[in-house]
Amino acid sequence: GESVGLHLPTLSVQEGDNSIINCAYSNSASDYFIWYKQESGKGPQFIIDIRSNMDKRQGQRVTVLLNKTVKHLSLQIAATQPGDSAVYFCAETKIQGAQKLVFGQGTRLTINP
Amino acid sequence: DGGITQSPKYLFRKEGQNVTLSCEQNLNHDAMYWYRQDPGQGLRLIYYSQIVNDFQKGDIAEGYSVSREKKESFPLTVTSAQKNPTAFYLCASSAAGGRWLRFYYGYTFGSGTRLTVV
């Protein structure tokens, strides 16, 4: 649903620490999930995706974990850097049938020096 | 390079004026989308189009209009009926679902247009 009137949750971590951003998705039928990163004044950019037949996928410094039992998605960022400061969105969809992406509320990550 | 281009980057609208935001993609994507983003908030869907000459309302379509005369283009008009148009507008495109040979089913986003009422 819409997030009108709601402000983004925030997470602050020290530079060099690992961060974990969580997302609860809404549709148990969703079978494809994506994490996006949005820097201030820019459009969201793809970080990593995962299909429902997997429970973990790793990229460069990022790992996505999927728990279908509780409809939970998380993004782990290792050894955070100042450039990781941004808003992170999760998104879900069902691949078949040209379904729209449904975006989560987003989390603002701040990296402290 | 393939991509999605939004213009202008900044736009100022006077009270009672209609303005049109441009969105062009050369990715050969079938589907295109318009989102609105207010400060400190998430993305809200305004309109989307999955094929040329067809489009559907999203969650907040009131005060907006779109057209999809060409596959590459999906302009958004913010009409005078939109009472609070100041926001960041994002356009996105995607290959329609069912393309089993493609792995990535997500969106490619433009860089956004910031609209301000003056």
Side-chain angles (χ1 to χ4, degrees):
Chain A
E2 294 186 12
S3 60
V4 176
L6 296 177
H7 291 279
L8 300 175
T10 59
L11 175 65
S12 293
V13 299
Q14 292 297 121
E15 183 177 350
D17 287 352
N18 298 335
S19 66
I20 299 176
I21 300 171
N22 296 304
C23 175
Y25 65 91
S26 58
N27 187 352
S28 57
S30 293
D31 56 8
Y32 182 67
F33 305 88
I34 309 168
W35 279 101
Y36 288 94
K37 172 185 180 182
Q38 185 180 25
E39 296 176 271
S40 181
K42 298 182 179 179
Q45 292 185 306
F46 170 85
I47 301 174
I48 193 167
D49 56 4
I50 189 168
R51 294 199 191 199
S52 58
N53 60 354
M54 304 171 70
D55 53 22
K56 180 178 180 179
R57 190 160 188 240
Q58 288 184 294
Q60 188 176 14
R61 285 202 306 118
V62 294
T63 300
V64 54
L65 298 178
L66 175 63
N67 185 332
K68 295 182 287 295
T69 302
V70 295
K71 294 193 292 185
H72 185 268
L73 198 65
S74 68
L75 176 70
Q76 300 178 358
I77 305 174
T80 52
Q81 303 168 357
D84 294 329
S85 292
V87 175
Y88 291 82
F89 292 98
C90 66
E92 61 178 299
T93 192
K94 188 162 175 58
I95 292 175
Q96 192 168 12
Q99 296 298 314
K100 303 188 305 293
L101 281 181
V102 176
F103 287 89
Q105 185 182 3
T107 296
R108 183 179 301 282
L109 176 65
T110 301
I111 309 301
N112 300 314
Chain B
D1 287 339
I4 183 166
T5 302
Q6 289 187 243
S7 62
K9 189 172 178 64
Y10 299 96
L11 186 59
F12 298 91
R13 191 194 94 165
K14 294 181 181 179
E15 294 282 351
Q17 190 179 44
N18 292 355
V19 291
T20 297
L21 284 60
S22 171
C23 180
E24 303 275 336
Q25 54 99 359
N26 61 2
L27 299 164
N28 200 32
H29 282 171
D30 295 309
M32 297 185 75
Y33 310 82
W34 274 105
Y35 285 88
R36 169 179 173 142
Q37 188 174 34
D38 292 283
Q41 296 189 27
L43 304 173
R44 292 189 285 166
L45 182 63
I46 304 173
Y47 268 99
Y48 66 102
S49 168
Q50 294 183 322
I51 196 169
V52 174
N53 292 323
D54 188 42
F55 49 83
Q56 287 79 41
K57 293 181 179 180
D59 301 318
I60 56 165
E62 185 175 352
Y64 300 97
S65 65
V66 293
S67 63
R68 187 85 187 278
E69 297 176 2
K70 299 186 300 182
K71 187 175 185 178
E72 308 80 40
S73 180
F74 191 41
L76 173 74
T77 297
V78 184
T79 74
S80 57
Q82 172 49 242
K83 297 307 178 188
N84 184 23
T86 295
F88 189 51
Y89 290 86
L90 287 162
C91 181
S93 69
S94 71
R99 305 284 178 92
W100 296 105
L101 295 180
R102 291 179 176 269
F103 182 77
Y104 177 61
Y105 294 90
Y107 294 176
T108 300
F109 283 90
S111 56
T113 292
R114 189 166 299 281
L115 174 62
T116 303
V117 174
V118 296

Short mmCIF file of all heavy atoms in Angstrom, two decimals, chain B residues 1 7-8 15-16 18 29 35 37 41 54 61 64 66 71 73 86 89 93 99 106 113 115:
data_model
loop_
_atom_site.label_atom_id
_atom_site.label_comp_id
_atom_site.label_asym_id
_atom_site.label_seq_id
_atom_site.Cartn_x
_atom_site.Cartn_y
_atom_site.Cartn_z
N ASP B 1 24.90 3.81 -25.85
CA ASP B 1 24.46 3.07 -24.67
C ASP B 1 22.94 3.16 -24.55
O ASP B 1 22.36 4.21 -24.78
CB ASP B 1 25.09 3.67 -23.40
CG ASP B 1 26.57 3.33 -23.29
OD1 ASP B 1 26.97 2.34 -23.94
OD2 ASP B 1 27.29 4.04 -22.60
N SER B 7 13.53 14.47 -19.06
CA SER B 7 13.84 15.89 -19.18
C SER B 7 12.58 16.70 -18.92
O SER B 7 11.46 16.22 -19.16
CB SER B 7 14.40 16.18 -20.58
OG SER B 7 13.44 15.89 -21.57
N PRO B 8 12.74 17.93 -18.42
CA PRO B 8 14.00 18.49 -17.95
C PRO B 8 14.37 17.93 -16.57
O PRO B 8 13.58 17.21 -15.97
CB PRO B 8 13.69 19.98 -17.87
CG PRO B 8 12.24 20.02 -17.51
CD PRO B 8 11.61 18.86 -18.24
N GLU B 15 1.01 28.39 -10.78
CA GLU B 15 -0.32 27.94 -10.38
C GLU B 15 -1.25 27.92 -11.61
O GLU B 15 -1.25 28.84 -12.41
CB GLU B 15 -0.91 28.88 -9.33
CG GLU B 15 -0.17 28.89 -8.01
CD GLU B 15 -0.50 27.69 -7.15
OE1 GLU B 15 -1.43 26.93 -7.50
OE2 GLU B 15 0.17 27.49 -6.12
N GLY B 16 -2.01 26.84 -11.75
CA GLY B 16 -2.99 26.75 -12.83
C GLY B 16 -2.42 26.37 -14.19
O GLY B 16 -3.14 26.33 -15.19
N ASN B 18 -0.49 23.75 -16.86
CA ASN B 18 -0.15 22.36 -17.17
C ASN B 18 1.31 22.28 -17.59
O ASN B 18 1.80 23.16 -18.31
CB ASN B 18 -1.01 21.82 -18.31
CG ASN B 18 -2.46 21.68 -17.94
OD1 ASN B 18 -2.84 21.89 -16.80
ND2 ASN B 18 -3.28 21.32 -18.92
N HIS B 29 12.10 -1.60 -24.38
CA HIS B 29 11.24 -2.13 -23.33
C HIS B 29 9.78 -1.90 -23.66
O HIS B 29 9.40 -0.86 -24.20
CB HIS B 29 11.56 -1.46 -21.98
CG HIS B 29 12.79 -2.01 -21.35
ND1 HIS B 29 13.35 -1.42 -20.22
CD2 HIS B 29 13.56 -3.08 -21.63
CE1 HIS B 29 14.41 -2.13 -19.85
NE2 HIS B 29 14.56 -3.12 -20.71
N TYR B 35 6.42 7.38 -11.50
CA TYR B 35 6.30 7.40 -10.06
C TYR B 35 6.49 8.83 -9.55
O TYR B 35 7.22 9.62 -10.14
CB TYR B 35 7.38 6.53 -9.40
CG TYR B 35 7.12 5.05 -9.52
CD1 TYR B 35 7.57 4.33 -10.62
CD2 TYR B 35 6.42 4.37 -8.53
CE1 TYR B 35 7.33 2.97 -10.73
CE2 TYR B 35 6.18 3.01 -8.62
CZ TYR B 35 6.63 2.32 -9.72
OH TYR B 35 6.38 0.98 -9.83
N GLN B 37 7.72 10.85 -6.02
CA GLN B 37 8.41 10.68 -4.75
C GLN B 37 8.43 12.01 -4.02
O GLN B 37 8.95 13.00 -4.53
CB GLN B 37 9.82 10.16 -4.98
CG GLN B 37 10.54 9.77 -3.70
CD GLN B 37 11.87 9.13 -3.97
OE1 GLN B 37 12.57 9.47 -4.92
NE2 GLN B 37 12.25 8.17 -3.15
N GLN B 41 10.01 10.08 1.50
CA GLN B 41 9.00 9.05 1.32
C GLN B 41 9.37 8.11 0.19
O GLN B 41 10.33 8.31 -0.55
CB GLN B 41 7.64 9.70 1.06
CG GLN B 41 7.15 10.52 2.25
CD GLN B 41 5.72 10.98 2.08
OE1 GLN B 41 4.94 10.35 1.38
NE2 GLN B 41 5.38 12.09 2.72
N ASP B 54 -1.83 1.98 -24.89
CA ASP B 54 -2.59 1.50 -23.73
C ASP B 54 -1.88 1.90 -22.45
O ASP B 54 -0.65 1.83 -22.38
CB ASP B 54 -2.74 -0.01 -23.78
CG ASP B 54 -3.68 -0.53 -22.72
OD1 ASP B 54 -4.75 0.10 -22.50
OD2 ASP B 54 -3.36 -1.55 -22.09
N ALA B 61 -3.37 8.66 -9.65
CA ALA B 61 -3.47 9.20 -11.01
C ALA B 61 -4.19 10.54 -11.09
O ALA B 61 -4.07 11.25 -12.10
CB ALA B 61 -4.17 8.19 -11.90
N TYR B 64 -3.18 13.95 -13.16
CA TYR B 64 -2.13 13.61 -14.11
C TYR B 64 -2.74 12.98 -15.36
O TYR B 64 -3.82 12.41 -15.31
CB TYR B 64 -1.14 12.60 -13.52
CG TYR B 64 -0.43 13.07 -12.27
CD1 TYR B 64 -0.89 12.70 -11.01
CD2 TYR B 64 0.72 13.85 -12.36
CE1 TYR B 64 -0.24 13.11 -9.86
CE2 TYR B 64 1.38 14.27 -11.21
CZ TYR B 64 0.90 13.89 -9.97
OH TYR B 64 1.55 14.29 -8.83
N VAL B 66 -1.35 10.86 -19.22
CA VAL B 66 -0.22 10.31 -19.97
C VAL B 66 -0.68 9.94 -21.38
O VAL B 66 -1.87 9.90 -21.67
CB VAL B 66 0.36 9.04 -19.30
CG1 VAL B 66 1.02 9.37 -17.96
CG2 VAL B 66 -0.71 7.97 -19.14
N LYS B 71 6.52 3.41 -28.64
CA LYS B 71 7.10 2.49 -27.66
C LYS B 71 8.17 3.19 -26.82
O LYS B 71 8.33 2.91 -25.64
CB LYS B 71 7.71 1.29 -28.38
CG LYS B 71 8.20 0.18 -27.47
CD LYS B 71 8.67 -1.01 -28.28
CE LYS B 71 9.06 -2.17 -27.38
NZ LYS B 71 9.48 -3.35 -28.18
N SER B 73 8.43 6.36 -25.90
CA SER B 73 8.09 7.61 -25.22
C SER B 73 6.85 7.46 -24.35
O SER B 73 5.85 6.87 -24.76
CB SER B 73 7.86 8.68 -26.28
OG SER B 73 7.53 9.90 -25.66
N THR B 86 4.36 19.64 -6.40
CA THR B 86 5.79 19.73 -6.08
C THR B 86 6.29 18.38 -5.59
O THR B 86 5.83 17.88 -4.55
CB THR B 86 6.05 20.81 -5.03
OG1 THR B 86 5.71 22.08 -5.57
CG2 THR B 86 7.50 20.80 -4.59
N TYR B 89 9.80 13.37 -9.77
CA TYR B 89 9.08 12.43 -10.63
C TYR B 89 10.08 11.49 -11.31
O TYR B 89 11.04 11.94 -11.94
CB TYR B 89 8.25 13.18 -11.67
CG TYR B 89 7.08 13.90 -11.06
CD1 TYR B 89 7.23 15.18 -10.53
CD2 TYR B 89 5.84 13.29 -10.97
CE1 TYR B 89 6.16 15.84 -9.95
CE2 TYR B 89 4.76 13.94 -10.39
CZ TYR B 89 4.93 15.21 -9.88
OH TYR B 89 3.87 15.84 -9.29
N SER B 93 11.28 1.91 -16.98
CA SER B 93 10.84 1.00 -18.03
C SER B 93 11.26 -0.41 -17.69
O SER B 93 12.17 -0.62 -16.89
CB SER B 93 11.41 1.41 -19.39
OG SER B 93 12.81 1.20 -19.42
N ARG B 99 9.29 -12.97 -20.28
CA ARG B 99 10.48 -13.14 -21.12
C ARG B 99 11.43 -14.10 -20.41
O ARG B 99 12.35 -13.71 -19.73
CB ARG B 99 11.16 -11.79 -21.36
CG ARG B 99 10.23 -10.73 -21.94
CD ARG B 99 9.96 -10.96 -23.41
NE ARG B 99 9.04 -9.97 -23.95
CZ ARG B 99 9.42 -8.83 -24.51
NH1 ARG B 99 10.69 -8.52 -24.58
NH2 ARG B 99 8.53 -8.00 -24.98
N GLY B 106 13.43 -6.46 -13.47
CA GLY B 106 13.18 -5.22 -12.74
C GLY B 106 13.05 -4.03 -13.66
O GLY B 106 12.90 -4.14 -14.87
N THR B 113 12.87 14.06 -12.62
CA THR B 113 12.58 15.48 -12.85
C THR B 113 12.04 16.04 -11.54
O THR B 113 11.09 15.49 -10.98
CB THR B 113 11.52 15.68 -13.95
OG1 THR B 113 12.07 15.29 -15.20
CG2 THR B 113 11.09 17.15 -14.03
N LEU B 115 9.98 18.80 -9.92
CA LEU B 115 8.97 19.80 -10.28
C LEU B 115 8.66 20.65 -9.05
O LEU B 115 8.40 20.11 -7.96
CB LEU B 115 7.70 19.12 -10.78
CG LEU B 115 6.49 20.01 -11.06
CD1 LEU B 115 6.81 21.02 -12.17
CD2 LEU B 115 5.28 19.16 -11.41
#
